[in-house]
Amino acid sequence: MPPTSEALTAERILEATEEVLRRHGPAKATVVDVARALGVSHGTVYRHFGTKAVLREAVTKRWLDRTASTLARFVTEDRGPEDRVRDWLAGLFEAKRKKAGGDPELFATYSVLAEDAGDVVGAHIDELTGQLTEIVRAGVDAGVFTVSDPAVAARALFQATGRFHDPSYAREWQKPGVEAEFEAMVDLLLRGLRG
Amino acid sequence: MPPTSEALTAERILEATEEVLRRHGPAKATVVDVARALGVSHGTVYRHFGTKAVLREAVTKRWLDRTASTLARFVTEDRGPEDRVRDWLAGLFEAKRKKAGGDPELFATYSVLAEDAGDVVGAHIDELTGQLTEIVRAGVDAGVFTVSDPAVAARALFQATGRFHDPSYAREWQKPGVEAEFEAMVDLLLRGLRG
DNA sequence: GGAATGACAGATATTGAAATCTGTCAGCTG
DNA sequence: CAGCTGACAGATTTCAATATCTGTCATTCC
């Protein structure tokens, strides 16, 4: 895949980095590899991304943002708050599970990247809990939920379902019975939201 | 029964193994080290524990059993089911947090051991959720909780609070605000149990 | 002048030979 | 005889030499 002779944009570097990570894995993917894939010297890559860590964080952010934007639609969906909380949580679970099951190696690669990108992951989690908070607040305003602080409740929801979206539990997502466990968890949490 | 100071019992081997693990860490603690600490040849250790993995599992089980027996008292405590669920969950969190904070290296050592001892950990989790199931069932019988299946609810409770007892989250237990997060989580879950 | 290069120093990773460990077992010892 | 030993083979780990990588920057190129 020879690179087009267009300008070397940050975007193109990120795409090349994803490809290199996909091919070599997180341990062996180097900045030199990325430069080689683009047909430039590695010094050039450093003009755009000051360090390898910054480059990896940018790739990680891209990956996480894809999930976040997928879930955004459940926030504004035209359904009751209970259904939207359920859909949102199920959507997150399904998105993660699909990625982990479909290409386990790539998922493992990004899981490793995420471990080294604490700030990016933190912002991602803040965005997700922010989405959840909106739905919970709508439920409180509609009188369906009775929690006192939507943001606190949303964070609890997110943490309680960690087992179904935290990459470190990916192994469990294949086991039979997870579906039922997920349903039971969401049922219990929704009962809690209603009070 | 022969005097413990002379006979080489499984018990003495386990104690020596704990000591070696404490001193060397999980990566460098060898069966040869254990034998040396006991003043015997390593072949002797293998008479009692067929493999290194079995020896480590036994040590891990011992460690986990200590936590389980600490929590058992909350099951039979003379208080309402709500308070007992709260106490039990708080007791688990506190026990783990105290261990992790008090001797981080030792905690990390046992966390590594636990990763390699899937069956032992599974049995431990079954025991803990069993304890929780008893309390939940008592609550249902007393009409305080309205869940349909105490065992399913107990497992959900355990998983939902994973962030506050799973060793992989130990780093978070030191951060300010965890206490509040834990309280919010338990409040939400208890609301769910009541229905 | 802005973009890219490539040589360079220090840090990190790889490699293969040597050392150590795991698990077995024939034989010793009390 | 029951418990223990220590030598052994194959697997794993250590260690030091070697190679590669990261990040910088003076220089080149358009």
Side-chain angles (χ1 to χ4, degrees):
Chain A
M1 10 117 263
T4 61
S5 47
E6 303 239 338
L8 183 63
T9 62
E11 188 63 20
R12 281 190 60 216
I13 295 176
L14 291 176
E15 263 155 33
T17 306
E18 281 190 358
E19 176 57 23
V20 168
L21 281 164
R22 192 171 287 121
R23 191 167 292 174
H24 295 51
K28 291 187 188 170
T30 72
V31 176
V32 171
D33 289 330
V34 173
R36 201 161 22 226
L38 288 164
V40 300
S41 80
H42 74 278
T44 300
V45 174
Y46 276 99
R47 294 197 107 270
H48 292 79
F49 296 92
T51 68
K52 183 184 183 181
V54 166
L55 175 57
R56 289 188 162 200
E57 278 161 21
V59 172
T60 306
K61 178 167 166 30
R62 240 164 158 247
W63 184 64
L64 295 175
D65 283 351
R66 269 174 232 150
T67 296
S69 62
T70 295
L71 293 172
R73 72 183 188 83
F74 294 117
V75 177
T76 53
E77 209 179 18
D78 186 24
R79 302 183 68 187
E82 292 181 282
D83 287 333
R84 280 191 287 155
V85 166
R86 193 182 290 276
D87 287 354
W88 191 95
L89 291 172
L92 179 56
F93 182 29
E94 263 317 300
K96 290 292 184 85
R97 194 155 73 133
K98 195 176 166 189
K99 281 185 183 177
D103 192 338
E105 279 189 44
L106 187 61
F107 187 82
T109 291
Y110 276 110
S111 299
V112 170
L113 292 191
E115 270 168 37
D116 299 336
D119 290 351
V120 170
V121 172
H124 174 64
I125 290 174
D126 286 347
E127 183 178 355
L128 292 185
T129 54
Q131 291 183 4
L132 253 187
T133 300
E134 276 195 61
I135 306 177
V136 173
R137 181 172 292 124
V140 171
D141 291 347
V144 181
F145 299 150
T146 66
V147 293
S148 58
D149 186 333
V152 168
R155 192 170 50 206
L157 288 177
F158 187 78
Q159 293 178 352
T161 52
R163 181 188 177 78
F164 304 104
H165 63 248
D166 190 316
S168 58
Y169 291 105
R171 209 181 337 137
E172 318 261 335
W173 302 341
Q174 318 300 335
K175 294 186 185 171
V178 256
E179 292 278 5
E181 284 181 357
F182 177 77
E183 291 300 329
M185 177 72 77
V186 175
D187 286 346
L188 181 66
L189 294 171
L190 280 174
R191 286 163 56 104
L193 287 175
R194 285 184 223 114
Chain B
M1 176 161 58
T4 53
S5 53
E6 291 177 9
L8 182 61
T9 61
E11 188 62 19
R12 281 189 62 218
I13 294 176
L14 290 177
E15 262 155 35
T17 305
E18 281 191 356
E19 177 57 22
V20 168
L21 281 165
R22 190 172 287 121
R23 191 166 292 175
H24 294 52
K28 291 186 188 172
T30 71
V31 176
V32 171
D33 289 331
V34 174
R36 200 158 25 223
L38 288 164
V40 299
S41 80
H42 74 279
T44 301
V45 174
Y46 277 99
R47 298 197 103 269
H48 296 260
F49 297 91
T51 68
K52 185 185 183 181
V54 166
L55 175 57
R56 289 187 163 202
E57 278 161 21
V59 172
T60 305
K61 178 165 167 29
R62 240 164 157 246
W63 184 62
L64 296 174
D65 283 350
R66 270 175 232 149
T67 296
S69 62
T70 295
L71 293 171
R73 72 184 188 82
F74 295 116
V75 177
T76 53
E77 209 180 17
D78 186 23
R79 302 183 70 188
E82 292 181 281
D83 287 334
R84 280 190 286 154
V85 166
R86 193 182 290 276
D87 287 353
W88 191 95
L89 291 172
L92 179 57
F93 181 30
E94 263 318 299
K96 290 292 183 86
R97 193 155 75 134
K98 194 176 167 189
K99 281 185 183 177
D103 192 338
E105 279 190 45
L106 187 60
F107 187 82
T109 291
Y110 276 110
S111 298
V112 170
L113 292 192
E115 271 167 38
D116 300 336
D119 290 350
V120 170
V121 172
H124 174 63
I125 290 174
D126 286 348
E127 183 177 355
L128 292 186
T129 55
Q131 290 183 5
L132 210 38
T133 300
E134 277 195 60
I135 305 178
V136 173
R137 181 171 291 125
V140 171
D141 290 347
V144 181
F145 299 149
T146 66
V147 293
S148 59
D149 187 332
V152 167
R155 193 169 48 205
L157 288 177
F158 187 78
Q159 293 179 351
T161 52
R163 181 188 179 79
F164 305 103
H165 63 247
D166 190 316
S168 58
Y169 291 104
R171 208 180 336 136
E172 318 261 336
W173 303 340
Q174 317 301 332
K175 294 187 184 171
V178 256
E179 293 278 5
E181 285 181 357
F182 177 77
E183 291 300 329
M185 177 73 77
V186 175
D187 286 347
L188 181 66
L189 294 171
L190 281 174
R191 285 162 57 104
L193 287 175
R194 285 183 223 115

